[in-house]
């Protein structure tokens, strides 16, 4: 299944970044990238994209007005709002009109990818199911990459766990416990405890790395 994405962004450089990010996520294709509200409405008059990456502040027509028009027309289109403004009013209004995610500039690829993967997971799961149980819905509404809301083992805390997950998510390759300890500012033993916990939840993959002598070292990678 491939999802068509409309990018609505008045800054050409940011629009190009959003296009590049979108094309890096399997299953997504850019339908069009436009720079103003009028252009966005012209596209919506012709077709209904699966997903719109929608900037709030645009020339001619605001992103929130476009969002409301999408809902008024009852288009089968989901929306991720993107803005530089940490504006609680705009966030609340966007959520009332059913945005599936909200990205505040500047953002980076891992968070952008998370938004698209969460959309894809929900759309594919709901399309495939005729009936949905409460447990199914709870799983679908949990953001991709989120830590399950379970009591942590004694000695672990949520803040350090989030730091370790963020470190793994931002890494470009599998990391050793020593590398994670250095980047997160914890001891190697502490890093091992959190990595062991995540591995037990099937949240990380572990790859042994063999040297010329001695025991193998292990490298960890987050499993989204």
């Amino acid at each position: 299944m491939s999802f068509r994405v409309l990018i609505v962004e008045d800054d050409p450089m940011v629009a190009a970044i959003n296009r590049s990010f979108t094309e890096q996520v399997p299953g997504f294709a850019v339908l069009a990238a436009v720079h103003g509200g009028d252009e966005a409405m012209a596209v919506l008059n012709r077709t209904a994209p699966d997903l719109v990456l929608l900037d709030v502040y645009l020339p001619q027509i605001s992103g929130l007005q476009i969002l409301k028009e999408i809902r008024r027309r009852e288009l089968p289109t989901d929306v991720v709002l993107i803005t530089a403004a940490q504006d609680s009013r705009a966030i609340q209004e966007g959520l009332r009109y059913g945005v599936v995610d909200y990205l505040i500039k500047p953002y980076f690829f891992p968070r952008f990818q998370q938004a698209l993967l969460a959309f894809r997971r929900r759309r594919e799961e709901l399309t495939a199911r005729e009936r949905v149980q409460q447990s199914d819905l709870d799983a679908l509404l949990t953001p991709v990459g989120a830590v399950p809301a379970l009591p942590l083992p004694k000695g672990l805390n949520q803040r350090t766990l989030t730091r370790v997950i963020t470190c793994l998510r931002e890494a470009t390759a599998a990391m050793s416990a020593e590398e994670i300890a250095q980047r997160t500012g914890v001891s190697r033993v502490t890093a091992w405890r959190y990595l062991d916990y995540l591995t037990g939840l099937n949240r990380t993959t572990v790859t042994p790395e063999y040297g010329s002598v001695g025991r193998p070292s292990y490298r960890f990678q987050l499993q989204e």
Side-chain angles (χ1 to χ4, degrees), residues 37-144:
D38 288 346
E39 294 174 276
M41 292 308 304
V43 174
L44 292 169
N45 286 335
R46 297 194 303 268
T47 187
D50 298 299
L51 181 66
V52 179
L53 304 178
L54 181 61
D55 194 15
V56 170
Y57 296 102
L58 297 166
Q60 303 117 24
I61 305 171
S62 76
L64 288 173
Q65 288 176 292
I66 294 172
L67 171 62
K68 293 173 184 178
E69 183 63 17
I70 289 172
R71 294 294 167 253
R72 188 189 69 78
R73 297 185 187 186
E74 300 183 352
L75 299 178
T77 298
D78 285 313
V79 175
V80 173
L81 276 184
I82 302 177
T83 181
Q86 299 180 33
D87 182 346
S88 61
R89 184 197 64 81
I91 293 172
Q92 290 182 59
E93 194 163 2
L95 292 173
R96 289 190 193 105
Y97 280 86
V99 299
V100 296
D101 210 336
Y102 198 113
L103 299 178
I104 296 176
K105 302 173 186 175
Y107 48 84
F108 300 95
F109 178 69
R111 182 62 182 86
F112 184 97
Q113 180 185 42
Q114 178 182 325
L116 266 61
L117 291 177
F119 158 81
R120 187 180 72 188
R121 180 180 61 162
R122 285 192 295 267
R123 181 68 72 88
E124 289 178 343
E125 287 287 330
L126 290 173
T127 300
R129 297 174 185 269
E130 292 185 4
R131 301 180 65 183
V132 180
Q133 305 295 328
Q134 182 68 57
S135 58
D136 299 326
L137 187 58
D138 290 344
L140 289 176
L141 293 178
T142 301
V144 172

Side-chain angles (χ1 to χ4, degrees), residues 127-187:
T127 300
R129 297 174 185 269
E130 292 185 4
R131 301 180 65 183
V132 180
Q133 305 295 328
Q134 182 68 57
S135 58
D136 299 326
L137 187 58
D138 290 344
L140 289 176
L141 293 178
T142 301
V144 172
V147 179
L150 297 173
L152 292 175
K154 186 176 180 180
L156 303 188
N157 66 76
Q158 186 63 51
R159 180 176 297 179
T160 303
L161 179 61
T162 299
R163 283 159 56 194
V164 171
I165 290 174
T166 301
C167 178
L168 287 165
R169 181 173 289 133
E170 292 177 349
T172 57
M175 300 179 68
S176 68
E178 290 83 355
E179 291 169 335
I180 293 166
Q182 290 175 1
R183 292 197 188 183
T184 58
V186 301
S187 71

